[in-house]
Amino acid sequence: MDPNDEGKMERAKKFLGLSQDESEAVSRLAVPERQAGEGKSFYDTFALAGNRVARVEPGLIVCNFKVPPRLTDRTGKLASGAIANLVDVAGISVDFVEGLPMNVSVDMSISHLSTAKLDDELEIISKRLGQRGGCTGALVLVRNKATGEIIAEGRLSMFRTQASSKL
């Protein structure tokens, strides 16, 4: 191994690692135990809190979302993983039918076109493109509500198993 590679590796570890303060803050988090299906999960509270539904029509959902500090990266911008999560949830939600199993994303492609900063108000538009059998396609657009700038565009392919009982 090249001796310069070790220095690069150490710098990368330092950049990606948590600071002492960040590590202590994480260790103080209290995550209570909960039974499945009982109230909101940590995921719902952490990743989805603040996502507000503005409009619902057959095959279309429009949501508003203000970028919170918990979903920003070290540069103060909405983390790309948070964008992927919002695209996935919006895409799946456009084809939600109460009483049927949830869709499962089997393929997702996201074009990150711009960035969103802390406290930016985003509009998330999810549109069902079509359905054949258990497969559904959706397009999700994430844009800055104030400027109209497109932050990301996602395309999803989803699958829902046919609900059947073998009893």
Side-chain angles (χ1 to χ4, degrees):
M1 177 184 259
D2 183 352
N4 290 333
D5 288 345
E6 287 183 31
K8 289 178 186 176
M9 183 62 76
E10 289 306 313
R11 285 194 308 274
K13 284 181 182 178
K14 184 177 179 182
F15 177 77
L16 295 172
L18 294 176
S19 70
Q20 185 63 31
D21 289 342
E22 291 169 326
S23 182
E24 288 174 9
V26 169
S27 69
R28 288 191 301 267
L29 287 175
V31 181
E33 283 188 43
R34 67 180 278 290
Q35 296 296 319
E38 178 185 290
K40 288 189 174 187
S41 68
F42 175 77
Y43 168 78
D44 291 333
T45 303
F46 185 82
L48 301 177
N51 196 4
R52 299 172 315 280
V53 176
R55 192 168 98 214
V56 177
E57 296 174 16
L60 177 76
I61 294 180
V62 179
C63 298
N64 295 317
F65 185 74
K66 186 175 179 179
V67 177
R70 69 182 180 279
L71 298 180
T72 58
D73 60 19
R74 291 181 181 190
T75 65
K77 296 187 170 89
L78 182 62
S80 55
I83 292 171
N85 184 62
L86 290 170
V87 167
D88 191 30
V89 169
I92 287 173
S93 298
V94 78
D95 201 41
F96 174 77
V97 178
E98 192 170 349
L100 290 180
M102 283 293 289
N103 280 340
V104 177
S105 297
V106 293
D107 185 51
M108 182 168 37
S109 174
I110 301 173
S111 298
H112 295 263
L113 304 169
S114 186
T115 58
K117 299 183 303 293
L118 176 64
D119 293 330
D120 279 355
E121 184 77 26
L122 305 180
E123 183 175 57
I124 305 163
I125 303 165
S126 180
K127 183 176 181 180
R128 183 178 46 223
L129 298 175
Q131 183 174 7
R132 182 168 295 188
C135 296
T136 303
L139 175 71
V140 179
L141 191 67
V142 180
R143 68 180 191 91
N144 185 306
K145 195 169 179 181
T147 66
E149 183 177 27
I150 296 173
I151 306 301
E153 179 185 73
R155 293 154 305 282
L156 287 85
S157 296
M158 301 164 286
F159 181 76
R160 179 188 336 240
T161 59
Q162 303 299 323
S164 64
S165 175
K166 298 204 177 199
L167 296 177

